[in-house]
Amino acid sequence: MSLQMELVAITVDCPDPLALAAFYQQATGFEPHPKSDADFAGLNREDGLFIGFQRVEGYRAPSWPDQIVPQQLHVCFKVVESLDEAEARLLELGAGKPDHQPHGDKARVLTDPAGHPFCIVTR
């Protein structure tokens, strides 16, 4: 018998919680948590999912795809637009695009402003 668990929160280490929360708020449309501050910021989705961003002194960005500094977390987002359109918008918001793209036309790997890799997919 499998355990019934529902994902309700994800917390990400970063050097600037408010800045990273602003990036993801613009990218996802999640609502900013009213008690967000310089040490911990959060975003809420209508269904209750919470993404938190916590300040870490001496934060070192992941060095994906190598593991000199491990990626720490990898999240995938389904996009409605084409991958090209979504990528262009995310790059405008401050995302980066690593040279290494292992998924061909199925997905794109980008990095958020704190260096965390994430994928965008259309299905």
Side-chain angles (χ1 to χ4, degrees), residues 26-64:
Q26 291 176 47
T28 65
F30 287 22
E31 291 296 318
H33 190 279
K35 294 186 179 179
S36 294
D37 62 33
D39 289 321
F40 190 90
L43 299 173
N44 295 307
R45 190 169 69 182
E46 287 180 14
D47 66 0
L49 180 63
F50 177 84
I51 302 176
F53 307 92
Q54 64 186 3
R55 177 182 301 283
V56 171
E57 294 302 323
Y59 173 80
R60 292 176 53 209
S63 58
W64 189 89

